[in-house]
Amino acid sequence: MKAPLHETLLDQTLREAVQDKATVSAEGRSLGRLTHGVSVRFLKTHTDERGTVTELYDPRWGFHPEPLVFSYTFTIRPGVVKGWNLHRRHEDRYAILQGRMALVLFDPRPDSPTCGEVCRIVLSEHERCLVNVPINVWHADHNIGSSDVVIVNFPTIQYDHAAPDKWRLPLDTPLIPYRFPEGTTGG
Ligand SMILES: Cc1cn([C@H]2C[C@H](O)[C@@H](COP(=O)(O)OP(=O)(O)O[C@H]3O[C@@H](C)C(=O)[C@@H](O)[C@H]3O)O2)c(=O)[nH]c1=O
């Protein structure tokens, strides 16, 4: 677009600029649309001069309808991605303990209102939370911090060592419209 004769520097720069879109509510919550069926519960950390206490999961919260049946912890090294993964018979329920992780979700479910959408949720030890990953939703856990991510998972079924409920796609699959930074390793 040609600049008018007496356009100011302000006009010229603003003509090329892009205005921010709303990303958080006045209460500080993300306005991004969550993948259908995903819930996020913030976990309060109680701190005193001796250290901290954070409750990770309490069925009395009513966070998820399935009972507590199994739990394990996993870690991810800085810069590494674990994924793409999908579970056909269970949901993951992550509580982050340490580090910073982008949980990237891609919804392939034909009947879901968020079918075809990508959702990226940043989890951090500085604002710990519990988040569930619904059945049949592709997910990739990307350590975007500089130290190991530590997650406690409370999946809705026990691990089946003989026939794990886990399907994988390569990180660079063209079937999922999301790209990790060049050189990202994982799987
Ligand atoms: C999940 C799991 C794995 N294992 C074993 C199987 C395998 O030899 C080794 C590593 O397993 P995986 O490759 O599945 O672990 P990992 O790739 O770390 O996957 C885990 O991390 C994140 C990304 C998830 O989405 C979880 O659902 C879980 O699958 O641990 C168990 O013995 N019990 C378990 O509950």
Side-chain angles (χ1 to χ4, degrees), residues 66-85:
E66 306 279 328
L68 276 186
V69 292
F70 181 69
S71 181
Y72 62 85
T73 184
F74 64 89
T75 66
I76 307 175
R77 296 185 191 288
V80 172
V81 179
K82 283 194 168 181
W84 297 96
N85 300 324

Side-chain angles (χ1 to χ4, degrees), residues 13 20 42 44 67-69 78 95-96 112 116 119 154 159 161:
T13 52
D20 273 5
F42 289 91
K44 174 72 179 152
L68 276 186
V69 292
I96 186 165
S112 165
C119 168
F154 304 94
Y159 186 72
H161 298 77

Side-chain angles (χ1 to χ4, degrees), residues 127-148:
E127 195 176 36
R128 288 188 176 127
C129 66
L130 181 61
V131 58
N132 68 304
V133 180
I135 285 171
N136 286 335
V137 170
W138 288 103
H139 51 288
D141 302 359
H142 184 192
N143 184 336
I144 56 175
S146 53
S147 59
D148 277 12

Side-chain angles (χ1 to χ4, degrees), residues 8 15 19 51 57 60 79 84 93 98 106 108 174 180-181:
T8 67
R15 185 157 45 82
Q19 182 178 6
Y57 200 102
R60 292 171 296 183
W84 297 96
R93 296 178 290 195
Q98 286 176 4
F106 174 65
F180 293 98

